[in-house]
Amino acid sequence: MELIKQIKQAEAKAQEIIEQAKADAAQQAEKGRTSRLQTLAKAEQERKKATEAAVAAAQSESLAEVENLKAQAENDRQQLRNKANTKMPAAVAKVMDYISKPSS
């Protein structure tokens, strides 16, 4: 009789251990899921920061390139004006000579 009582107690103890293990496993799974979600959220924030930084850098770079191109275009226009201004008197003189000559 005592042996049956001990077996039942052992079975009850084993059942308690199994239930506790299930509870612990569920708790660990929940902690893992929570941790994974937090890690994903943090990675998303870092990705957004990196994207924003890349966009800001590209925007800054493009503005600098625009300014550089504007300066280069202005320089090219000035050189073209200078070149035209040096050839203008000779061209005007040729036109005036042509106009002032009597037609044949």
Side-chain angles (χ1 to χ4, degrees):
M1 193 68 150
E2 184 64 30
L3 187 57
I4 293 173
K5 186 177 179 184
Q6 287 178 354
I7 291 172
K8 285 186 179 183
Q9 286 177 345
E11 285 177 351
K13 182 76 171 172
Q15 191 62 35
E16 285 178 21
I17 291 171
I18 290 170
E19 293 300 321
Q20 185 62 41
K22 284 181 182 178
D24 290 346
Q27 186 178 18
Q28 286 292 70
E30 182 63 26
K31 283 182 183 178
R33 189 174 71 78
T34 302
S35 174
R36 201 169 38 255
L37 289 175
Q38 288 174 346
T39 302
L40 284 173
K42 185 176 179 181
E44 180 66 21
Q45 288 176 345
E46 289 176 8
R47 184 189 65 80
K48 283 182 181 180
K49 281 182 186 177
T51 301
E52 289 171 1
V55 167
Q59 192 173 27
S60 173
E61 215 173 283
S62 66
L63 289 175
E65 183 67 19
V66 165
E67 291 302 317
N68 185 29
L69 290 173
K70 283 182 180 179
Q72 185 178 353
E74 183 58 35
N75 188 24
D76 290 348
R77 279 193 294 273
Q78 188 62 40
Q79 287 178 355
L80 187 58
R81 277 191 211 109
N82 291 342
K83 191 174 181 182
N85 285 340
T86 58
K87 294 182 178 184
M88 188 75 72
V92 169
K94 284 182 184 180
V95 170
M96 293 303 291
D97 284 346
Y98 179 77
I99 294 174
S100 63
K101 287 184 183 180
S103 353
S104 318

